[in-house]
Amino acid sequence: MDLVEESPYRFRIDRHDPMRVPGVVFASRSLLPDAGADKSLEQVANVATLPGIVDASYAMPDVHWGYGFPIGGVAATDVEQDGVVSPGGVGFDISCGVRLLAADLDRTELDGRLEPLMDGLGAATPRGMGKGAVWHLSKDSELDAVLRGGSRYAVERGFGVERDLVRCEDYGAVDDANPAQVSERAVERGARQVGSLGSGNHFLEVQAVEEVYDDRVATAFGLRPGQVCVMIHSGSRGLGHQICTDYVRGMAKVMTRHGIHVPDRQLACAPVSSHEGRAYLGAMAAAANYARANRQLLAAAARKVFERETGRGLDLVYDISHNLAKIETHDVDGARRSLCVHRKGATRALPPGHPDLPDDLRDVGQPVLIPGSMGTGSYVLTGVPGAPAFASTCHGAGRVQSRKQAVKAERGQDPRRQLAAQDIAVRGASRRGLAEEMPAAYKDVSAVVEAAEGAGLCRRVARLVPVGVVKG
DNA sequence: ATGTGC
C-alpha cells in the first residue's frame, strides 16, 4: 500500500481504480499499521470504492483490521447520490460506547474504602458471556419500549435522572428506531441482557483525574484534578450482533440487484434510500437505543453501590458511542449535503457552537471519551472547529495483537498480579480474558490521542488513570 | 464484539 505523507499526522492513499475517492490515514509514522500483519490500510482503500462515498475513506490513528471496514474507519456517503449504508461500517457491536460519571470525591478519600467499593461494583455488574442483567423485562412490549426509548425510557422507569439525558448523545435516544425490522432471534438474545457489561474489552472502571489540559473545558464537563470517576464501556450485546449478522446476509443477497459490486464480500451494503438500507438503519437505531439503555442501567447499578460505599453521587459527564452510522448534514465542496456517516471505532467530536450540543456544553464542545487499554489510562477530549473527517476522532488504543497472539504473549505470566502490582483492583474476568486485554496487545493510547490532536481532529481536556476495574 | 475459534 503506497502512502503519501501529506503532513506530520496525515497520510494519503492515492485514488486508483476502482476507488472513487482517496484514502486518508491520520497517524504518526510509528502508529501506522504493520502492513505485513494487518490489512487495515487495504480495507481503507476498499471502503473508498463504495457507491456515493464523499471526500475520502478515512482512518483514525487507532486503525486496525476489522470486518470489511477497518476499526477506526470513517466513511460518509451522499444519501441523494445513491450513497450506501453498510453494516460492516458500523460493526457487530452496534452503538458500543462509553459513559463517564464523575463523583464529588477526591481520590484520597477512597483510602480504605476501595476494596468494599470494588466488591460492591463487581457484585452489581452483570458481566461475561450470556446471562445476567440489571433489568428483567416483564414482557416483549417492554423490550420494544427500550428499543424506541433508549436511556429516556430507562430514566422514565426510575433508572436515573432527567439531567442524565442532557449529557447523552441524542438526549438518550435516536427517534428513527424501527423495532419491526429487528429479527425475532435478535429480540430473543437481547431480552435477557438489558443492563449487562459483556466481555472482551468492555469494562467498568473506577478512575481518577490524573491531569487536566484545559481548565475551562474540564470545568464545564464537570471534571477537576484528583476527582474520582466511573467509566463504563459497553454496547448492544447479542442484540446488535444478531442485527449485524442478519443484515450482512440480507444485503449480500440483493447487492447485484442494486448494481453494486464491492472488492470484499464483507462490505455488503445497500443504498440508504432502498428498502434494505432503510430497514437496516431502523434496526440499527433500535440497537443504538438498546446500547444507551444498557449503559444507563449499568450506571444506575453503579450509583447505588457508590452511594452506599462512599456516601456520594455520580454525575453524568457524557455518553457517546463509537460504532454507529448517522444521517448528518455536512458541507461538501461548499454545498450542504445529507450524508450517511459511518463511524466504526471512531467517535463523533462536535466542535464548540454546534447546534446539537446542550446549552451547558455549547461553548466548549462535545466531551469525547477515549478508553485506554486495561491498566493504562483514558482520555477526555473535545471537538475542534473546522476539523476533517465529518467531526470524528479516534475511539481508543487500537489492537496491535490479535486475541490469540495476546494470550500466547502472556503465557507463563499472571495478568492479575501484573495489575495488582500497579495498585489496580480487579474484579471478574477469566485469566484468559485478562490476558487478551493486556496493554501489550494495544497501541499506546497517549500516542493515539497525540496523533489525533496533531491531525486537528480534537483537543485534549483530561487524562484519567485506573484505580479499580470490573471486567467481563 | 459474540449463546467465541483453530
Side-chain angles (χ1 to χ4, degrees):
Chain A
M1 186 62 58
D2 287 329
L3 284 172
V4 182
E5 187 166 7
E6 290 186 328
S7 54
Y9 294 103
R10 185 176 168 122
F11 294 80
R12 185 181 71 244
I13 302 167
D14 276 324
R15 196 200 70 78
H16 55 268
D17 288 338
M19 291 166 73
R20 294 168 191 260
V21 293
V24 171
V25 183
F26 299 107
S28 61
R29 280 206 168 271
S30 58
L31 282 171
L32 284 172
D34 172 8
D38 178 306
K39 303 285 184 203
S40 59
L41 298 187
E42 283 177 35
Q43 294 187 312
V44 173
N46 289 344
V47 168
T49 69
L50 292 179
I53 188 167
V54 298
D55 280 3
S57 166
Y58 291 104
M60 301 295 123
D62 48 341
V63 66
H64 60 110
W65 180 84
Y67 182 90
F69 282 58
I71 295 164
V74 175
T77 59
D78 191 323
V79 175
E80 283 153 35
Q81 301 288 322
D82 299 320
V84 294
V85 60
S86 174
V90 172
F92 277 87
D93 193 1
I94 296 167
S95 203
C96 177
V98 183
R99 167 175 292 231
L100 182 68
L101 303 114
D104 182 19
L105 190 73
D106 191 84
R107 66 181 305 173
T108 55
E109 296 176 84
L110 274 185
D111 289 346
R113 288 165 155 176
L114 183 62
E115 293 301 321
L117 175 63
M118 293 310 300
D119 286 342
L121 290 171
T125 308
R127 57 180 187 269
M129 295 284 289
K131 47 191 183 296
V134 173
W135 206 351
H136 301 280
L137 301 178
S138 51
K139 46 188 183 300
D140 281 0
S141 62
E142 192 152 37
L143 183 67
D144 214 67
V146 169
L147 298 181
R148 289 182 196 281
S151 294
R152 291 182 203 161
Y153 181 64
V155 167
E156 208 174 286
R157 293 297 306 271
F159 295 92
V161 293
E162 280 293 323
R163 192 258 176 203
D164 292 344
L165 301 177
V166 178
R167 291 300 186 95
C168 286
E169 179 184 14
D170 306 310
Y171 298 93
V174 286
D175 55 17
D176 49 355
N178 189 352
Q181 299 297 348
V182 178
S183 70
E184 195 52 45
R185 200 168 175 191
V187 166
E188 274 172 31
R189 290 179 68 175
R192 294 162 291 140
Q193 299 180 321
V194 193
S196 65
L197 196 62
S199 58
N201 67 358
H202 290 166
F203 64 75
L204 180 149
E205 259 181 23
V206 175
Q207 305 176 335
V209 179
E210 180 76 2
E211 198 171 357
V212 166
Y213 306 96
D214 186 318
D215 269 325
R216 185 182 70 94
V217 179
T219 302
F221 288 177
L223 295 170
R224 55 179 156 78
Q227 186 174 24
V228 174
C229 295
V230 171
M231 181 177 275
I232 296 168
H233 180 201
S234 186
S236 54
R237 311 284 284 107
L239 179 119
H241 192 277
Q242 189 62 46
I243 289 171
C244 183
T245 304
D246 293 340
Y247 281 90
V248 164
R249 198 171 296 159
M251 284 184 181
K253 278 186 197 157
V254 299
M255 266 205 302
T256 47
R257 197 183 305 157
H258 289 295
I260 298 170
H261 302 278
V262 291
D264 178 352
R265 294 171 58 89
Q266 297 185 349
L267 290 175
C269 59
V272 171
S273 55
S274 67
H275 170 73
E276 294 80 13
R278 286 200 310 269
Y280 171 70
L281 284 170
M284 181 210 72
N289 289 340
Y290 181 97
R292 284 107 184 259
N294 187 27
R295 291 191 289 270
Q296 184 72 34
L297 290 162
L298 290 166
R303 277 170 160 162
K304 220 186 231 178
V305 174
F306 214 86
E307 277 158 24
R308 186 182 75 214
E309 297 297 332
T310 72
R312 308 293 172 86
L314 289 164
D315 289 330
L316 185 57
V317 173
Y318 208 67
D319 182 301
I320 183 78
S321 75
H322 48 234
N323 281 4
L324 208 58
K326 289 185 134 171
I327 307 298
E328 300 175 355
T329 306
H330 289 274
D331 275 329
V332 181
D333 301 328
R336 302 294 284 167
R337 307 294 305 179
S338 179
L339 306 179
C340 179
V341 183
H342 301 72
R343 296 187 182 89
K344 180 189 190 179
T347 317
R348 187 188 74 166
L350 298 179
H354 196 281
D356 290 349
L357 288 168
D359 291 342
D360 65 339
L361 297 175
R362 188 65 50 77
D363 293 342
V364 288
Q366 175 212 306
V368 176
L369 310 175
I370 307 295
S373 55
M374 186 175 62
T376 58
S378 298
Y379 281 84
V380 179
L381 319 171
T382 191
V384 294
F390 315 104
S392 312
T393 188
C394 56
H395 87 303
R399 275 196 173 273
V400 286
Q401 289 176 341
S402 68
R403 295 188 177 279
K404 207 162 128 186
Q405 285 173 320
V407 170
K408 202 172 167 186
E410 269 301 299
R411 195 175 287 169
Q413 298 179 69
D414 185 349
R416 201 172 294 269
R417 183 171 294 181
Q418 283 171 263
L419 290 164
Q422 298 169 59
D423 284 328
I424 301 166
V426 184
R427 295 295 183 276
S430 62
R431 183 199 157 81
R432 187 193 171 89
L434 289 179
E436 288 177 349
E437 295 301 322
M438 289 305 281
Y442 284 88
K443 295 180 187 181
D444 172 8
V445 69
S446 296
V448 166
V449 164
E450 188 182 317
E453 184 170 307
L457 297 166
C458 56
R459 223 153 47 74
R460 275 172 288 202
V461 176
R463 184 167 70 91
L464 314 175
V465 292
V467 176
V469 54
V470 178
K471 292 287 288 183

